């Protein structure tokens, strides 16, 4: 049985109280649903003296459309079940409802929050193991107790994988993240929140808490989809993931593509936004050339690593397949 390390818990009921508690206790960590941080603590990947719980912060639980600002606002404490089932999210952002609805299992989605999902720790086959297991490979790695990387042996940076199902989708939908910390409130594009270091892969400043995700309301017709490959259809984290979004001239799969966005997860610590998709613009979405252009660009620009189970070369081939299938499924919607 894996035991938790000892820690104190504080449960403020305001965001300001959370920020103050984080400042009061060096090394304190936030806990929301606990579905990621508690397993990691059981693996002794961290031993914070204090967990600051968001359970009583009701201000983080709002999910509302703000027409004046042209946004859907999702509080960091909204659960993945709520997002998957919400009528507005399903109508306006179906790829997000889908991604939230296939995380883990119903019990986990009832506890798991979107704030926790966005701040999910990076994952690696060499680190998400018990302390005993890590001892058997010579005492861990850069992200645990050691000073080497087993994925890139001469690497200086940890390349553990950003494995959130929702992050690629949120970035494909141009989401912003709202943070509150000791220096106040700031808003930044979610795409800019991550950097390529699996040990500390977000740009959150000390004492900063995620309070909201903001999604710009669609300006016109759009198709969006999330495709995930995992070994089992439930419980498992993605071993590759692709979020697709196409803005169209009219609401038809035969309409011309005005804008295309593709975001890939589970590569390194940072999601990748695929570039050079211009060749697909102006073509009908239903033109097979669009699926080919987008899937070839994704395959060319994304190189999975041996940081999660299954061979990197196989996952790279599957990236091409899953991207193409994602476009074809959007066309099949008519
Ligand atoms: C068996 C199993 C399967 C899983 N499968 C998947 C999967 O398929 N896809 C997937 O995406 N995830 C998966 N997860 C991971 C996890 O359940 C989700 O990512 C979940 O959304 C995490 O949210 P949480 O509220 O439980 O986060 P917590 O565990 O409470 O926190 C996670 C991290 O985020 C930080 N944090 C939480 N809230 C905030 C905030 N508001 N501001 C700043 N930092 C914050 C915490 O300090 C911690 O570092 C799985 C977990 C388990 C146990
Ligand atoms: S990528 Fe390297 S340093 Fe990072 S967790 Fe995996 S083995 Fe450790």
């Amino acid at each position: 049985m894996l035991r938790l390390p000892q820690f104190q818990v504080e449960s403020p009921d305001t965001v300001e109280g959370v920020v103050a508690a984080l400042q009061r206790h060096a090394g304190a960590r936030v806990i929301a649903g606990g579905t990621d941080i508690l397993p990691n603590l059981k693996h002794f990947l961290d031993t914070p003296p204090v967990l600051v719980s968001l359970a009583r912060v009701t201000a983080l639980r709002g999910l509302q459309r703000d027409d004046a600002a042209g946004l859907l606002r999702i509080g960091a404490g909204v659960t993945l079940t709520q997002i998957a089932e919400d009528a507005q999210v399903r109508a306006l952002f179906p790829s997000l409802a889908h991604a939230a609805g296939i995380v883990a299992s119903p019990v986990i989605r009832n506890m798991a929050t979107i704030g926790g999902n966005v701040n999910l720790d990076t994952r690696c086959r060499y680190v998400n193991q018990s302390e005993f297991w890590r001892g058997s490979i010579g005492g861990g790695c850069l992200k645990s107790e050691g000073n080497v990387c087993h994925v890139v042996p001469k690497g200086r940076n940890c390349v553990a994988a950003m494995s959130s199902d929702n992050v690629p989708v949120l970035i494909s939908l141009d989401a912003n993240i709202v943070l509150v910390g000791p220096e106040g409130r700031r808003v930044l594009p979610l795409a800019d929140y991550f950097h390529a270091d699996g040990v500390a892969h977000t740009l959150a400043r000390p004492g900063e808490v995620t309070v909201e995700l903001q999604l710009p309301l669609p300006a016109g017709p759009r198709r969006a989809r999330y495709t995930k490959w995992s070994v089992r259809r439930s419980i498992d984290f993605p071993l590759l993931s692709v979020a697709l979004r196409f803005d169209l001239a009219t609401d038809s799969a035969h309409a011309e593509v005005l804008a295309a966005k593709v975001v890939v997860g589970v590569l390194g610590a940072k999601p990748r936004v695929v570039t050079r998709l211009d060749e697909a613009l102006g073509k009908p979405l239903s033109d097979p050339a669009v699926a080919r252009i987008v899937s070839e660009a994704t395959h060319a620009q994304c190189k999975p690593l041996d940081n999660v189970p299954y061979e990197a070369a196989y996952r790279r081939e599957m990236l091409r397949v899953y991207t193409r299938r994602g476009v074809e499924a959007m066309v099949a919607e008519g």
Side-chain angles (χ1 to χ4, degrees):
M1 189 174 82
L2 295 172
R3 293 177 189 279
L4 280 167
Q6 284 208 333
F7 48 79
Q8 304 289 315
V9 178
E10 289 210 10
S11 290
D13 53 13
T14 61
V15 171
E16 295 69 31
V18 172
V19 173
L22 290 172
Q23 281 186 288
R24 251 192 330 273
H25 305 288
R29 297 279 305 275
V30 168
I31 179 167
T35 62
D36 178 52
I37 194 167
L38 292 179
N40 288 343
L41 295 188
K42 284 188 171 188
H43 286 157
F44 282 79
L45 290 170
D46 195 0
T47 51
V50 176
L51 291 184
V52 183
S53 169
L54 303 184
R56 295 175 59 221
V57 190
T58 50
L60 298 181
R61 301 210 200 118
L63 196 173
Q64 65 265 329
R65 181 177 173 147
D66 179 345
D67 282 312
L71 298 171
L72 185 78
R73 299 179 184 277
I74 308 181
V78 173
T79 67
L80 299 185
T81 298
Q82 285 173 280
I83 292 173
E85 294 179 354
D86 183 85
Q88 292 189 97
V89 179
R90 291 170 78 98
L92 293 166
F93 304 106
S95 57
L96 180 63
H98 173 66
I102 57 172
V103 168
S105 68
V107 172
I108 291 176
R109 292 194 293 273
N110 287 344
M111 299 177 68
T113 64
I114 191 70
N117 195 255
V118 164
N119 288 285
L120 179 73
D121 204 353
T122 52
R123 297 186 63 79
C124 174
R125 64 201 306 179
Y126 296 101
V127 85
N128 294 103
Q129 306 284 354
S130 67
E131 208 179 11
F132 177 76
W133 189 101
R134 295 197 302 272
S136 73
I137 56 164
C141 64
L142 295 173
K143 193 169 162 63
S144 56
E145 310 79 7
N147 53 14
V148 292
C149 175
H150 303 289
V151 176
V152 185
K154 290 191 178 150
R156 285 163 180 259
N157 245 16
C158 167
V159 291
M162 195 295 302
S163 304
S164 156
D165 275 312
N166 293 286
V167 164
V169 179
L170 288 164
I171 293 175
S172 76
L173 300 172
D174 297 332
N176 287 325
I177 183 167
V178 185
L179 303 150
V180 171
E183 288 153 28
R185 184 178 191 271
R186 63 185 179 121
V187 184
L188 68 157
L190 185 61
D192 297 344
Y193 185 56
F194 299 96
H195 76 141
D197 178 358
V199 174
H201 75 301
T202 76
L203 295 179
R205 296 175 184 152
E208 230 172 21
V209 187
T210 303
V211 295
E212 188 175 271
L213 279 309
Q214 302 178 336
L215 287 162
L217 299 173
R222 168 193 282 183
R223 294 286 155 95
R225 198 165 185 93
Y226 176 62
T227 62
K228 158 183 182 173
W229 176 61
S230 53
V231 178
R232 298 170 294 184
R233 287 212 175 159
S234 65
I235 296 291
D236 286 348
F237 282 89
L239 295 176
L240 63 84
S241 63
V242 185
L244 299 149
R245 166 190 150 191
F246 292 89
D247 294 348
L248 302 176
T250 64
D251 191 15
S252 158
H254 304 298
E256 76 183 60
V257 175
L258 302 179
K261 197 151 181 188
V262 179
V263 186
V264 179
V266 209
L267 297 171
K270 194 178 161 166
R272 175 177 278 266
V273 179
V274 176
T275 57
R276 301 192 292 279
L277 298 175
D278 295 356
E279 220 192 309
L281 306 187
K283 294 186 169 54
L285 181 64
S286 54
D287 181 341
V290 172
R292 183 179 47 75
I293 292 162
V294 169
S295 56
E296 290 305 326
T298 304
H299 179 261
Q301 294 173 39
C302 300
K303 299 193 173 53
L305 299 163
D306 283 317
N307 46 6
V308 296
Y310 282 80
E311 276 181 20
Y314 176 75
R315 288 169 51 231
R316 186 159 181 228
E317 281 311 309
M318 286 300 104
L319 257 183
R320 184 184 354 230
V321 172
Y322 272 69
T323 307
R324 195 196 67 231
R325 284 183 190 164
V327 180
E328 289 170 352
M330 286 188 276
V331 172
E333 288 167 9

